[in-house]
Amino acid sequence: MSFHVLVPGEWTVQKGHNLLEHIESDIRSALPKITVFTHLESIDDPASWDDTALDRVENRLGESAPEGTRQPSADDIQTK
């Protein structure tokens, strides 16, 4: 599994890394045989959104995204 995690631009690298460690640990606990690759990006950088359409089934099939889907905002981010 590979995914990008967008965090506020003012976060330190350490804070972002700590969040990724928690996320990866939770996923591995639920799916022990999975390999997890995460990529930390700033939610404030427009370039972070350039690849949002990659590897999405609806885009590969030429279909629109399911109704009600949207890009997350900074308000969606929760920290422990």
Side-chain angles (χ1 to χ4, degrees), residues 20-30:
L20 293 183
E21 288 295 320
H22 285 290
I23 292 171
E24 291 176 12
S25 177
D26 289 349
I27 292 171
R28 287 188 196 104
S29 292

Side-chain angles (χ1 to χ4, degrees), residues 2 5 8-10 34 46 50 61 67 70 73 75 78:
S2 174
V5 176
E10 67 271 5
I34 199 160
D50 287 347
L61 298 176
E67 187 175 329
R70 63 179 176 77
S73 69
D75 295 332
Q78 297 178 0

Side-chain angles (χ1 to χ4, degrees), residues 13-63:
V13 173
Q14 185 63 55
K15 186 171 183 173
H17 176 74
N18 290 344
L19 174 64
L20 293 183
E21 288 295 320
H22 285 290
I23 292 171
E24 291 176 12
S25 177
D26 289 349
I27 292 171
R28 287 188 196 104
S29 292
L31 304 165
K33 295 183 180 183
I34 199 160
T35 300
V36 181
F37 295 101
T38 55
H39 182 79
L40 186 66
E41 295 195 52
S42 169
I43 200 166
D44 304 320
D45 182 355
S48 297
W49 298 97
D50 287 347
D51 59 0
T52 58
L54 296 177
D55 295 328
R56 298 215 175 149
V57 172
E58 65 272 8
N59 290 336
R60 283 182 279 156
L61 298 176
E63 302 169 359

